[in-house]
Amino acid sequence: MGRRNGAGESNGVTSSPGGSNGGGYENYNMPDGNFGEPNGSYSYYSSANSGGGPGGYYDGGRQGASGGISGNRNGSGKPPRKKKKSRAGDVISIIVMAAAFCVFIYAGYMLYGYYKEYQKVDEEYLNLATSYATDETETEDLDALEEAFENDSAAQVINGREVQTVEVEGEEVSLPVMVNPIDFESLKEVNSDIVGWLKIRALDLSYPVVQGEDNDYYLHRSFEQEDLFAGCLFMHYENKSDYTDQNTIIYGHNMKNGSMFGTLKKFRDEEVYETSKYFWIYTEDIIYQYRIFSARVVDKVGQTYQIVFSTDEFEEFLTTAVEESEVDNSTVSVTTEDKVVTLSTCTGDSATRFVVQGKLVQMYASLVEDEEE
């Protein structure tokens, strides 16, 4: 605190002679920020007495009417210096902002790329469906047919159909005829690797199925064999293309927009499963009808992906599939005499897969509409 009486110095401020009754300076150091003063000091000059008089002034080194000088805390008489911002801090801030901007641009670019990929998938396969596949309901009442199998009256429906002799596993068999809604002749001109067309009515899913020389080729190639992240539905390269193995495996990506096998997990919903418990695979000569008996998460390696089994192995394979199923399979029986198709997709966990499995319940001889006429 400054002196009230007599001449002297207080905190670097020179006071003129005088006390409370004479002209002079008073300097009171206040806590920082009081009265809004930058340095927290409060100074004034009085020409007469402590009651104040003309010419008083506040700090900052300004001269009053009596010519007195009051300094700042350092006694310099100059305004306090402002602290310079750290140049290093400025550089770091700029770098952080630039990095954030780059991340934002990159994320936007990636999202745009994903959008274009999804758009390409939808456009390409929609074009295939409209160009090479007709609505099978125009020629077949599949609801009635599936219901007949559920009510154990399939024999009555099947026996009433026209039959045709075809070769199955080297033997000639008579099969009921069904009009084939897929133009395989034209599809083979686009890609000779086609081995079927899968339709899952409960999911409104309809795609061609191909088979490559390995399981990598169609992982990120379209049916037209162009680069496409979503790839194509493809059969395991070691399977027989006529679906006669004990376990035929078809792979598809779990796409976020629901394309490929992106909706396969919907079979966990009982309402979806009740909509249709069957899936269909159309080929050039035979149409296959499969009854779904299992939907579940499995390890990415193991029996699920085995193709050929001993009798005991196959029984174990079927028992596990039935017991671990997330869908109700109480009304369907599966035996070692059955042929199974496993539809497989990823789950987001690199160690697991989601599969839907169906057993073959009926084959139909394929009839092309032109042949019918």
Side-chain angles (χ1 to χ4, degrees), residues 276-316:
S276 174
K277 301 176 182 178
Y278 295 81
F279 60 82
W280 298 75
I281 296 178
Y282 299 88
T283 69
E284 192 170 15
D285 300 317
I286 298 176
I287 297 169
Y288 302 89
Q289 180 183 358
Y290 293 87
R291 170 62 160 86
I292 297 171
F293 67 90
S294 184
R296 59 200 170 105
V297 174
V298 300
D299 292 334
K300 71 174 183 180
V301 294
Q303 266 194 339
T304 306
Y305 297 96
Q306 192 170 328
I307 293 171
V308 180
F309 306 79
S310 67
T311 301
D312 289 342
E313 288 175 334
F314 198 43
E315 186 171 1
E316 181 183 357

Side-chain angles (χ1 to χ4, degrees), residues 12-281:
V13 178
T14 302
S15 301
S16 61
S20 59
N21 296 316
Y25 292 94
E26 291 191 5
N27 183 6
Y28 294 91
N29 287 336
M30 307 298 292
D32 286 350
N34 283 342
F35 298 101
E37 296 300 318
N39 294 316
S41 63
Y42 171 50
S43 303
Y44 68 88
Y45 168 78
S46 174
S47 60
N49 54 37
S50 59
Y57 66 92
Y58 290 81
D59 70 337
R62 295 179 299 175
Q63 187 170 349
S66 299
I69 299 176
S70 174
N72 59 22
R73 288 187 179 182
N74 298 320
S76 63
K78 297 180 180 179
R81 293 182 179 180
K82 294 181 179 180
K83 293 183 179 180
K84 294 183 177 179
K85 293 182 179 179
S86 170
R87 291 186 177 180
D90 291 344
V91 171
I92 292 174
S93 297
I94 292 172
I95 292 174
V96 170
M97 291 179 64
F101 180 74
C102 290
V103 169
F104 175 78
I105 294 297
Y106 178 74
Y109 172 77
M110 293 299 293
L111 287 173
Y112 178 75
Y114 290 142
Y115 168 76
K116 295 298 290 184
E117 281 290 309
Y118 286 134
Q119 186 180 46
K120 188 176 180 181
V121 172
D122 292 339
E123 290 177 353
E124 177 165 333
Y125 286 101
L126 177 62
N127 179 60
L128 286 173
T130 55
S131 301
Y132 304 106
T134 58
D135 187 351
E136 74 280 352
T137 59
E138 294 179 6
T139 55
E140 296 289 342
D141 187 352
L142 296 186
D143 284 328
L145 193 57
E146 291 178 4
E147 185 178 349
F149 275 88
E150 287 299 295
N151 297 329
D152 294 325
S153 58
Q156 180 179 351
V157 176
I158 298 302
N159 290 338
R161 286 174 170 265
E162 177 187 348
V163 297
Q164 185 173 315
T165 301
V166 297
E167 186 175 304
V168 178
E169 295 188 80
E171 296 182 3
E172 290 189 347
V173 296
S174 294
L175 298 177
V177 172
M178 179 180 287
V179 175
N180 197 326
I182 309 300
D183 183 1
F184 280 98
E185 185 176 348
S186 298
L187 281 170
K188 287 167 66 177
E189 293 178 0
V190 178
N191 188 346
S192 60
D193 286 341
I194 188 167
V195 292
W197 190 290
L198 173 67
K199 288 201 174 188
I200 306 178
R201 301 177 65 235
L203 304 178
D204 195 24
L205 185 154
S206 181
Y207 288 112
V209 180
V210 295
Q211 185 179 37
E213 295 182 355
D214 54 43
N215 284 343
D216 293 327
Y217 185 80
Y218 284 106
L219 195 62
H220 297 300
R221 282 189 176 86
S222 68
F223 177 77
E224 296 179 347
Q225 302 185 66
E226 296 179 352
D227 289 339
L228 184 66
F229 180 78
C232 189
L233 300 189
F234 61 93
M235 179 188 290
H236 188 85
Y237 78 101
E238 294 178 315
N239 273 126
K240 296 175 184 176
S241 60
D242 59 0
Y243 300 86
T244 56
D245 284 319
Q246 290 170 293
N247 184 31
T248 299
I249 307 164
I250 297 176
Y251 302 96
H253 284 296
N254 178 19
M255 300 300 290
K256 291 183 178 181
N257 70 339
S259 59
M260 299 296 106
F261 277 165
T263 57
L264 206 60
K265 57 185 174 292
K266 286 187 176 182
F267 272 116
R268 286 173 161 166
D269 185 341
E270 196 67 24
E271 290 185 8
V272 173
Y273 179 59
E274 290 295 331
T275 300
S276 174
K277 301 176 182 178
Y278 295 81
F279 60 82
W280 298 75
I281 296 178

